[in-house]
Amino acid sequence: HKVTSVSTSMAFLFAIFLTIIYTPLVVANIIERARKRSPTQRMALQWLDPTDDLRILLCLHGPQNVPSAINFMEISRGTVDPGMTVFVTDMIELTDRIAVTLGHSDGVEAVTVTDPTVMDMREEITRAMEGYVEVDGEGISVRRMLALATLNNMPQDICTMAEELMVSIVVLPFHKDQEMASRLSIGHSGFRHVNRKVKLTNTAFSK
């Protein structure tokens, strides 16, 4: 009986040790590791301070996305103060043809694309966005950005850009375009991959 009593007492003390001392230490360690993995800056929409401006990374494939992009800006706008900042970002796939046209700049974009097709496309988007803001864009600030990368690297580049710009939401265009008779084109499977990777990435912003 004494042996049983001693064994029971030791088991009871061991259980108390696990419950009172060891378990809280384990939980604290788990919480600490989770905090290190989670972003220190909460940027998603649910954490947006109403007194701060809404910052959006709005990605485009080309001029065909401009009408829907303007519609999105229109329905997302709030009061003039604090307003909304939209980083209109061109998603350009880095191919061998475009790689040979790259140059360096001292401006906002460290790398510039001198390919005529890309330059004309970006200029068309810029004119459309500037025209909208000038006519009916009170409280909206538009800045032009460039996501230039291979399709494999583009998701990470977009996420990194979003975190550096401290945006609350990232908007990506559908990988298919609408054609005549409301049909959808075959689309670009590479951009579908980009959209899925960005969506699945554990980031601090809304998607």
Side-chain angles (χ1 to χ4, degrees):
H1 292 292
K2 290 185 178 180
V3 174
T4 304
S5 178
V6 171
S7 300
T8 303
S9 299
M10 291 181 63
F12 183 72
L13 290 173
F14 184 70
I16 293 176
F17 173 81
L18 289 177
T19 303
I20 298 178
I21 301 176
Y22 183 75
T23 301
L25 290 176
V26 172
V27 173
N29 184 258
I30 292 174
I31 293 174
E32 183 180 359
R33 284 186 294 171
R35 285 175 176 171
K36 288 181 179 180
R37 291 173 184 164
S38 64
T40 56
Q41 182 73 25
R42 292 175 172 176
M43 298 179 291
L45 283 176
Q46 62 266 35
W47 303 112
L48 180 66
D49 189 328
T51 61
D52 293 337
D53 65 326
L54 175 62
R55 301 168 70 87
I56 301 174
L57 186 67
L58 183 57
C59 300
L60 307 177
H61 293 157
Q64 70 274 15
N65 299 135
V66 170
S68 58
I70 291 178
N71 287 339
F72 180 83
M73 292 164 62
E74 190 67 24
I75 64 176
S76 301
R77 66 192 301 180
T79 58
V80 175
D81 186 20
M84 180 172 69
T85 302
V86 183
F87 299 92
V88 179
T89 305
D90 301 320
M91 300 170 65
I92 306 297
E93 179 184 4
L94 181 59
T95 62
D96 292 339
R97 178 179 63 84
I98 292 179
V100 298
T101 68
L102 299 183
H104 294 278
S105 171
D106 295 330
V108 177
E109 296 175 356
V111 177
T112 58
V113 182
T114 59
D115 179 82
T117 302
V118 175
M119 292 177 65
D120 291 344
M121 180 201 73
R122 300 199 70 203
E123 182 60 30
E124 184 177 350
I125 293 175
T126 300
R127 287 197 304 267
M129 288 297 176
E130 289 179 347
Y132 163 69
V133 172
E134 184 177 350
V135 174
D136 192 29
E138 188 177 10
I140 300 177
S141 175
V142 172
R143 301 182 186 179
R144 297 287 280 122
M145 305 296 293
L146 175 65
L148 175 66
T150 61
L151 294 177
N152 286 333
N153 294 332
M154 191 172 291
Q156 184 59 48
D157 284 6
I158 291 174
C159 292
T160 300
M161 184 185 301
E163 292 177 353
E164 290 178 349
L165 296 174
M166 299 181 67
V167 302
S168 295
I169 184 171
V170 172
V171 181
L172 298 169
F174 191 47
H175 66 282
K176 295 183 179 181
D177 297 319
Q178 188 170 352
E179 297 179 334
M180 298 296 293
S182 299
R183 295 179 179 177
L184 292 176
S185 65
I186 298 176
H188 195 307
S189 60
F191 282 120
R192 181 185 183 187
H193 164 78
V194 172
N195 290 355
R196 293 180 64 183
K197 291 287 287 183
V198 172
K199 183 178 179 180
L200 294 174
T201 301
N202 183 23
T203 51
F205 49 81
S206 302
K207 304 178 280 291

